[in-house]
Amino acid sequence: MTDEKKSKNQGVLRLREKGKVAVRGRIPAGVMTASQMAAVARIAEEFGDGEVAMTARLNVEIPFVDRRNAGVVAERLREAGIEPGSTGATLRSVVACKGTVCRHGCCDTQGLARAIEERYGGCELPRKLKISVAGCPNNCARVQINDIGIMGRRFPAFHAGDCEGCGACEKVCREGAVRVVDGEVLFSGEDCVGCGDCIAICPKDAIGVASEGLRLYIGGRSGRVLQVGTEAEGLVPEEEALEIVGRLLDYFRENAQPGERLGELMGRVGEYEVFAAAGLRPRR
């Protein structure tokens, strides 16, 4: 298939009904403007059956489009600022939870997803590759079962002199990493998952930030074959994540065999080689 034909087919998916397709539009970080939503609705009414579907990767699909109108629908989506795609052997749309605005968010999930999309979105690869960004250990974006998973973490530092022993931190900690005994805070770093909730809940600002950043997972996948990604050692600053993703994409593009997912490549050449290419080490 020529590059021109590949480009024309981006975002077009066959349906069971003969001659009918769905046209998929990429929605960066899963956020649309009201005017974009209205435009999608108009296109669905004119060229589909009036239905609009949201995919598991937060994209929009207009089903029941006559195959002959697929190009027109794709162009109409572009006019609304929505690029057709997230199909084929490419970097699929980056999934982000609402961590940017969520009270639990430890990082700018939507900003990072958009930055990855702007620099690498839709790039051609040996096989599809999926990236997911979660703002905290609640892990709404299921980062461990993506080829590259990114999770925000925030670990607490307790300032004993400012603490009044109210117990708010203990109540909010689901892991039991924080206990208040006789007005004194007892903290277990081994049990702490880095959600940062205790930091946010403290009424006296007696809990600061010991460390924060992104925890990365590499080589996961879902579908017919489930594989949990390998966790990277340490935390990565948000500003370094974009370059790390780029290094992983380059390594995957240059070393994967046809039809091989990132986790399969990692199984063939070894975890340490893939992690080293990204400037990381697997956590042990």
Side-chain angles (χ1 to χ4, degrees):
M1 185 181 291
T2 65
D3 290 343
E4 183 180 358
K5 193 170 183 181
K6 281 182 181 178
S7 177
K8 287 182 178 179
N9 287 337
Q10 275 292 300
V12 179
L13 303 98
R14 289 186 299 173
L15 299 181
R16 293 177 180 178
E17 293 77 9
K18 187 175 181 181
K20 296 293 185 179
V21 298
V23 181
R24 179 182 295 171
R26 301 173 66 94
I27 307 299
V31 178
M32 284 190 286
T33 64
S35 61
Q36 286 177 325
M37 295 177 75
V40 169
R42 289 193 296 269
I43 297 168
E45 291 282 1
E46 184 175 350
F47 294 97
D49 69 347
E51 291 186 353
V52 178
M54 300 301 297
T55 74
R57 300 200 71 76
L58 307 181
N59 291 311
V60 66
E61 274 187 17
I62 301 175
F64 306 113
V65 174
D66 190 297
R67 179 179 292 280
R68 293 168 295 184
N69 292 328
V72 178
V73 171
E75 187 54 38
R76 289 279 294 274
L77 286 173
R78 288 192 181 95
E79 290 173 1
I82 298 172
E83 187 65 26
S86 199
T87 56
T90 63
L91 173 60
R92 299 293 182 89
S93 291
V94 180
V95 170
C97 75
K98 63 173 189 174
T100 298
V101 296
C102 177
R103 66 186 180 88
H104 296 291
C106 297
C107 66
D108 181 7
T109 56
Q110 294 173 358
L112 178 55
R114 289 192 185 99
I116 295 172
E117 289 275 9
E118 288 173 6
R119 185 174 296 190
Y120 309 115
C123 66
E124 292 189 12
L125 297 166
R127 196 176 175 188
K128 65 182 176 183
L129 188 141
K130 298 180 178 181
I131 300 175
S132 184
V133 187
C136 74
N138 286 338
N139 198 18
C140 296
R142 308 294 187 268
V143 298
Q144 290 94 337
I145 51 175
N146 282 256
D147 297 272
I148 302 172
I150 303 170
M151 179 187 291
R153 297 284 186 93
R154 183 174 292 137
F155 293 91
F158 291 85
H159 309 310
D162 299 322
C163 177
E164 293 186 354
C166 70
C169 53
E170 180 179 13
K171 292 176 184 177
V172 80
C173 183
R174 300 180 188 178
E175 285 67 39
V178 185
R179 293 188 301 118
V180 178
V181 179
D182 296 329
E184 182 181 353
V185 174
L186 304 178
F187 173 65
S188 169
E190 291 183 359
D191 295 323
C192 179
V193 297
C195 69
D197 283 351
C198 61
I199 301 171
I201 201 70
C202 181
K204 296 297 181 181
D205 295 327
I207 309 174
V209 178
S211 61
E212 62 183 339
L214 306 175
R215 183 65 52 82
L216 269 65
Y217 302 83
I218 302 175
R221 65 183 290 188
S222 58
R224 297 187 181 190
V225 178
L226 181 65
Q227 183 171 343
V228 177
T230 301
E231 187 174 350
E233 186 179 86
L235 296 175
V236 172
E238 282 190 53
E239 59 270 19
E240 294 181 14
L242 200 59
E243 297 301 327
I244 291 173
V245 168
R247 290 196 289 268
L248 283 167
L249 292 177
D250 287 342
Y251 184 87
F252 181 58
R253 186 183 296 109
E254 295 165 7
N255 294 278
Q257 295 177 350
E260 189 174 47
R261 291 287 291 270
L262 180 59
E264 294 171 316
L265 167 62
M266 196 159 68
R268 177 168 58 85
V269 304
E271 289 181 347
Y272 283 93
E273 181 170 330
V274 176
F275 272 74
L280 303 169
R281 293 198 305 176
R283 188 180 185 192
R284 290 288 179 258

